Amino acid sequence: MEKIKQTIIAIALVLTANICFGSVISDVSNSGYSVLTNGSFSTGNNVSIVGNVGAGGYVWLADYTNIDGDLSTNNGVSTGSFVTVDGDLNYNSSFWMPSSSTVSGDVSSSSWQAPSIAAASVSSGSQGLYYASNSTVNLTSGSYNSLTVAGGSTVYLSSGTYSFSSAWFDSNVKIIADTSNGDVIINTAQSFSTSQFVSLTTFGNGNAYIVSAGSFSIDQHNEIAASLIANTTGSVANSSTIEGVVYASSSLWFGNDVNIGGLTASVPPTVPEPATALLLISAIPFVRNRIKKNSSH
């Protein structure tokens, strides 16, 4: 009987998470872009991006940046030296590239419209969480207030949704996400931030997503196997690797030697179709009735 109760709770949590957050995750994952913003996009030197890049604002690509895909903007594009775009380049207002930089595909001038992305909406809880240095943390999915994890700690997450007002991971924190039973989604109402040498690794068939109704800020030398999504601004500092899609509505900035795995680094999100969700919801009263009948015997 206890297992049946736990099943009801698990179904409710999964449905709540996917109905509330599935839209923005699905929109970004299915946009066709590995890096996307409605605002400006700029990089440091030697940035590598696998997949298409789209920006509503001005684009600046510093020396030795490589885009293994198309580049589209509804504004202008300027680049440093030895920049390569392996697909097409579409700009609206202006375009400048030195002779050392190349575009493998067509260069064209026309208006471009960014894909429509739903805004993230995150509700956090009241319990704040703080973990001291070198802690081992087995975090249960749910809604919390702020999360602070001090340096050298290891955080274990399992399939489910974790919502915070803000999340801060200090230097050398390891986040290990078990996606065997579905995606791991970290939501923040305000900000998601890391210090240096933070890692997020996954094992299982699902993906990890970091969704902020505010901003995200990834410091230097991070290795994050998750997609990053923000309603406002996003930044990824020097020598960090993101194995997922990166989207920030207002603007995006990458430091030197940043690597973006993009769409090739993730599988389609495990968000149930509306018909499946309705079927699961309709099953909950039936399971509850089974509990009542069993309790009466």
Side-chain angles (χ1 to χ4, degrees), residues 23-194:
S23 182
V24 63
I25 290 174
S26 296
D27 286 352
V28 171
S29 300
N30 296 319
S31 68
Y33 291 87
S34 291
V35 172
L36 181 63
T37 177
N38 293 318
S40 62
F41 172 57
S42 60
T43 75
N45 297 329
N46 200 39
V47 168
S48 176
I49 300 169
V50 178
N52 299 327
V53 175
Y58 201 84
V59 174
W60 163 251
L61 305 177
D63 298 350
Y64 295 96
T65 290
N66 171 252
I67 297 175
D68 186 11
D70 298 335
L71 170 61
S72 302
T73 176
N74 202 36
N75 203 294
V77 178
S78 296
T79 78
S81 302
F82 303 102
V83 170
T84 55
V85 177
D86 294 334
D88 297 334
L89 190 151
N90 183 78
Y91 66 95
N92 189 9
S93 61
S94 62
F95 169 65
W96 185 86
M97 175 180 279
S99 59
S100 61
S101 296
T102 60
V103 177
S104 298
D106 296 329
V107 176
S108 59
S109 177
S110 62
S111 61
W112 173 83
Q113 184 65 44
S116 178
I117 306 296
S121 177
V122 177
S123 298
S124 56
S126 58
Q127 180 187 3
L129 302 176
Y130 171 81
Y131 298 98
S133 299
N134 303 310
S135 296
T136 298
V137 181
N138 289 282
L139 199 55
T140 303
S141 59
S143 295
Y144 304 92
N145 202 303
S146 61
L147 170 68
T148 300
V149 182
S153 297
T154 300
V155 180
Y156 293 94
L157 308 176
S158 57
S159 301
T161 299
Y162 302 78
S163 297
F164 309 96
S165 59
S166 61
W168 164 252
F169 297 90
D170 207 348
S171 58
N172 294 291
V173 168
K174 294 179 175 62
I175 307 166
I176 300 173
D178 178 2
T179 63
S180 299
N181 294 316
D183 297 338
V184 169
I185 304 172
I186 303 173
N187 295 302
T188 63
Q190 299 168 11
S191 63
F192 178 95
S193 306
T194 69

Side-chain angles (χ1 to χ4, degrees), residues 229-260:
I229 299 169
N231 278 0
T232 59
T233 60
S235 63
V236 181
N238 298 350
S239 303
S240 288
T241 296
I242 309 299
E243 293 295 341
V245 178
V246 181
Y247 166 77
S249 182
S250 299
S251 64
L252 264 176
W253 172 82
F254 295 161
N256 299 329
D257 303 300
V258 167
N259 294 287
I260 307 297

